[in-house]
């Protein structure tokens, strides 16, 4: 393999990574969500959503209503949570909304998950509403998080495939 082929393959790998980032940022703009796609990581929403399902999110301008599935992020936690809105309190004349959530498969509401002293979510906590589902496709993500060696092996294999691809 000569230097020119090596450079071309490195450029191809860079283009693939850049394209993926551009698609992600475009989805963020279109959906209004900081994370337009999330993977369900637990069984708290069964039987509606199962571990490994991929959810597509959209924030939208409409007010959040009880019964909607939302993805929210709590202060001090890195991983977003997918749960159903069970109560919404709105103050008339003020743009303040208080939201209470619960996993469909949980016995009680999520106040136990919220940080100490916080009984409600506000709109800033909400990352988006679930608008679509791709069942079980996210299991790959869960496996790569549970087994980091698999993640590095897969990245290495993909890099090797790009680097050994023969240009005709």
């Amino acid at each position: 393999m000569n230097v020119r082929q090596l450079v071309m393959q490195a450029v191809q790998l860079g283009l693939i990574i850049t394209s993926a980032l551009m698609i992600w940022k475009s989805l963020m703009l279109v959906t209004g969500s900081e994370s337009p796609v999330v993977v369900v990581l637990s069984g708290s929403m069964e039987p509606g959503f199962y571990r490994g399902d991929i959810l597509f999110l959209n924030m939208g301008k409409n007010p959040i209503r009880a019964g909607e599935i939302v993805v929210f992020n709590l202060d001090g936690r890195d991983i977003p949570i997918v749960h159903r809105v069970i109560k919404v309190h709105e103050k008339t004349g003020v743009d303040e909304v208080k939201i209470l959530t619960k996993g469909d498969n949980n016995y009680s509401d999520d106040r136990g998950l919220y940080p100490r002293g916080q009984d409600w979510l506000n709109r800033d906590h909400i990352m988006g509403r679930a608008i679509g589902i791709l069942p079980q496709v996210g299991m790959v993500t869960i496996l790569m998080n549970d087994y980091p060696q698999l993640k590095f092996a897969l990245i290495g294999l993909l890099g090797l495939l790009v680097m050994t691809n023969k240009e005709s």
Side-chain angles (χ1 to χ4, degrees), residues 35 37-42 50-55 79-80 82 137-142 145:
S35 182
V37 178
V38 295
V39 176
V40 177
L41 297 176
S42 74
Y50 292 92
R51 190 170 192 254
D53 290 351
I54 290 183
L55 299 181
I79 299 173
V82 179
V137 177
M139 283 307 288
V140 174
T141 303
I142 292 173
N145 282 334

Side-chain angles (χ1 to χ4, degrees), residues 7 10 13 26 42 48 94 145 148:
V7 169
L13 181 62
S26 298
S42 74
V94 181
N145 282 334

